[in-house]
Amino acid sequence: QKEVEQNSGPLSVPEGAIASLNCTYSDQGSQSFFWYRQYSGKSPELIMFIYSNGDKEDGRFTAQLNKASQYVSLLIRDSQPSDSATYLCAVNIDYKLSLSFGAGTTVTVRA
Amino acid sequence: DAGITQSPRYKITETGRQVTLMCHQTWSHSYMFWYRQDLGHGLRLIYYSAAADITDKGEVPDGYVVSRSKTENFPLTLESATRSQTSVYFCASARDGSNTGELFFGEGSRLTVL
């Protein structure tokens, strides 16, 4: 089982809709969860992080964490064409000093 | 300019050749990392360093060597390149351990091994 798994996508949503991305992780001891956005041909950049169960909102982005279910999600509200990118879920694995990344979900927002 | 820079950005080499990818950061971050990114695998950690002269293996270290004699530099060497090492390589840095803080990535180095 992979340490971090994401919906492979691609996910296509119309402009203005909500894009929902899901991520599950295997290590029950994980404490830190991150979402990175990566535009085609570019490097990843951090857009959200969450440490506690529940929701965390930042502008049009909401991260949701459920440690009991080992599940973290990212909602993008009012999706814009500029949101078209690959979204990487990253989780700290307790016995490592580094993050483990999922394979990413590619989102395309249709104008 | 402040930031994290990688060189070369693009490299084509032949099987068996030695290749070194350079990474330089100006933030004096303690932690530095090398990842490779391949379709379907996401980012996989090759090596990381918690400080100068301290390095450790990541998930896929075979065939790679790193050093960190200075805080700001973290070169990655492929001792004898193989076709399976064709990939995009990202260097990253973090002030604290990446499990608690933000990773800052370089622009990436696209390596093709023929």
Side-chain angles (χ1 to χ4, degrees), chain B residues 26-77:
Chain B
T26 60
W27 293 305
S28 298
H29 284 170
S30 296
Y31 290 81
M32 296 188 74
F33 307 84
W34 274 106
Y35 287 90
R36 60 177 289 174
Q37 187 171 39
D38 306 288
L39 197 63
H41 289 282
L43 288 163
R44 291 182 292 175
L45 183 67
I46 304 170
Y47 269 95
Y48 67 95
S49 170
D53 297 322
I54 300 174
T55 62
D56 208 348
K57 296 178 180 179
E59 182 184 357
V60 288
D62 293 343
Y64 303 95
V65 175
V66 294
S67 62
R68 194 161 176 214
S69 57
K70 293 184 178 181
T71 299
E72 60 266 31
N73 297 323
F74 191 40
L76 176 73
T77 297

Side-chain angles (χ1 to χ4, degrees), chain A residues 49-108:
Chain A
F49 63 88
I50 186 166
Y51 300 145
S52 303
N53 276 330
D55 295 358
K56 179 181 179 181
E57 188 174 315
D58 184 0
R60 295 185 295 108
F61 297 96
T62 299
Q64 299 174 317
L65 175 61
N66 183 326
K67 289 186 180 180
S69 300
Q70 295 177 231
Y71 174 93
V72 58
S73 65
L74 180 70
L75 299 178
I76 306 174
R77 293 185 304 281
D78 187 25
S79 295
Q80 301 297 309
S82 60
D83 295 325
S84 297
T86 296
Y87 291 81
L88 303 170
C89 174
V91 177
N92 87 297
I93 303 299
D94 203 33
Y95 57 90
K96 296 182 180 178
L97 289 175
S98 62
L99 293 177
S100 288
F101 284 83
T105 299
T106 298
V107 174
T108 301

Side-chain angles (χ1 to χ4, degrees), chain A residues 32 36 38 43 51 92 98-99, chain B residues 37 45 98-100 103 105-106:
Chain A
S32 309
Y36 282 79
Q38 186 176 23
S43 56
Y51 300 145
N92 87 297
S98 62
L99 293 177
Chain B
Q37 187 171 39
L45 183 67
S98 70
N99 54 348
T100 56
L103 280 177
F105 287 87

Side-chain angles (χ1 to χ4, degrees), chain A residues 38-52:
Chain A
Q38 186 176 23
Y39 291 114
S40 180
K42 302 295 184 181
S43 56
E45 57 179 344
L46 182 68
I47 55 170
M48 290 284 292
F49 63 88
I50 186 166
Y51 300 145
S52 303

